[in-house]
Amino acid sequence: MIKRVIVFLFIFCLLSCEPVQHAQKKKTSSQKPVYSCLTSQSACEVNTEFGRFTLLFSGKESKGKLKTELPFQLQLRFEPISDKYQVANTGGYLEGKTMFMGKIPIFFEQDNTNIWLAQTLLASCSEEVMTWQLWIQVEILAHDKKHQQEFFIDFDSVRL
């Protein structure tokens, strides 16, 4: 009788448990990133002759600055001034402004008609607060011609 009770309790405990990693994956996969303009950004919107570009961040931040060594996402939106303007290709790179640490390429993937997403992270350096320049390069198709558009924004990061 005691053996049956012990076996029953053992099986009950095994069936009622869920691995911790599995439970965490469920929570994070259902959460969509929240994009916002950082208070340390030099500009959230850039107006060009073809339309307005909005650049938003999603990631761990502290007082308007991104935290280094943690992945974050970029969201690039394009609001054309005419239906004749379409983005054919987009990309970019990050480089340190406070301290040059090389160029970090940024690869955008189209998420929606006029929305592109990219994921990257920042390296940590000896500075407590570092200013970065994010260069965006866009190829716009207008009247069957390709036009190059390039602009940058500055933003800050803080070490972990």
Side-chain angles (χ1 to χ4, degrees), residues 1-8:
M1 178 71 172
I2 292 179
K3 287 182 182 180
R4 288 183 184 173
V5 171
I6 291 173
V7 170
F8 175 75

Side-chain angles (χ1 to χ4, degrees), residues 59-61 66-73 120-122 160:
K60 300 278 185 188
E61 60 177 282
L66 285 176
K67 292 185 178 182
T68 59
E69 299 180 0
L70 294 174
F72 64 92
Q73 287 190 343
T120 188
L121 60 91
L122 301 171
L160 281 177

Side-chain angles (χ1 to χ4, degrees), residues 35 53-54 56 74-80 87 90 108-118:
Y35 296 96
F53 289 93
T54 305
L56 304 173
L74 297 165
Q75 182 188 70
L76 179 66
R77 290 184 186 189
F78 178 55
E79 296 173 40
V87 173
T90 186
F108 285 95
E109 293 182 11
Q110 193 166 5
D111 182 53
N112 203 328
T113 305
N114 289 323
I115 298 176
W116 289 263
L117 301 176

Side-chain angles (χ1 to χ4, degrees), residues 47-60:
N47 291 312
T48 69
E49 63 183 294
F50 303 105
R52 180 185 353 203
F53 289 93
T54 305
L55 191 63
L56 304 173
F57 291 82
S58 174
K60 300 278 185 188

Side-chain angles (χ1 to χ4, degrees), residues 16 18 24-25 28 43 46 57 63 72 85 97-98 100 122 124 130 136 139 153 155 160:
S16 64
E18 184 177 326
Q24 288 175 344
K25 284 182 183 178
T28 57
V46 177
F57 291 82
K63 298 178 184 174
F72 64 92
Y85 300 142
K97 187 174 179 181
T98 307
F100 184 73
L122 301 171
S124 187
M130 173 137 168
I136 302 292
E139 193 174 81
I153 64 155
F155 66 95
L160 281 177

